Amino acid sequence: MTKKPETSKQASAAFDPFVVFKPLAPTAWMGTAWFERVADLGSEITTFVADRIKEDAKTQHALLNCKSMVEVQHVQAEFLQKAFDQYHAETGKLVELTGQMAEDLQTDLKPKS
């Protein structure tokens, strides 16, 4: 009896085009809407971080141009207030987006009648 060499099994597995999708099998329960929400969430976070970096640079510039400690305190107070307001608003947006993700997930997991 001739035994097939191990390399032929490995070669056939290496050329199986569907092998790359096997790690995604656990995500089959996730619907398209859920993935769209994940993309929206990532986009929202990226935009927020970019806006905050712009604010940081703007504040740094304002601090470098201050002529007195009173001006420095004013710039710092404005920066902190604006940061607080932006983080507060962003938290609300992220809570809303994750809530929508949960709704989409529940809709996708409901048994079809």
Side-chain angles (χ1 to χ4, degrees):
M1 230 160 69
T2 60
K3 190 175 179 184
K4 241 184 178 179
E6 288 293 318
T7 55
S8 67
K9 287 181 186 176
Q10 291 171 348
S12 65
F15 294 115
D16 182 4
F18 296 106
V19 167
V20 296
F21 295 110
K22 286 183 183 176
L24 296 176
T27 62
W29 55 271
M30 296 177 196
T32 309
W34 191 85
F35 282 108
E36 288 173 358
R37 298 285 187 203
V38 169
D40 292 344
L41 188 65
S43 176
E44 180 62 37
I45 291 169
T46 302
T47 302
F48 176 74
V49 169
D51 290 345
R52 288 301 312 145
I53 290 171
K54 286 178 191 173
E55 284 299 320
D56 291 352
K58 186 172 129 184
T59 301
Q60 187 75 283
H61 180 68
L63 286 170
L64 291 170
N65 290 312
C66 288
K67 303 290 185 223
S68 69
M69 284 305 294
V70 174
E71 284 182 85
V72 169
Q73 290 173 334
H74 180 72
V75 169
Q76 288 176 332
E78 283 181 340
F79 172 79
L80 290 174
Q81 185 61 54
K82 189 165 189 175
F84 178 79
D85 293 343
Q86 287 177 329
Y87 275 99
H88 183 263
E90 186 65 17
T91 300
K93 288 178 190 177
L94 295 178
V95 167
E96 185 178 322
L97 284 172
T98 54
Q100 291 170 349
M101 287 172 66
E103 288 175 17
D104 292 342
L105 187 58
Q106 285 180 339
T107 302
D108 290 342
L109 292 177
K110 280 184 183 174
K112 311 286 190 259
S113 37

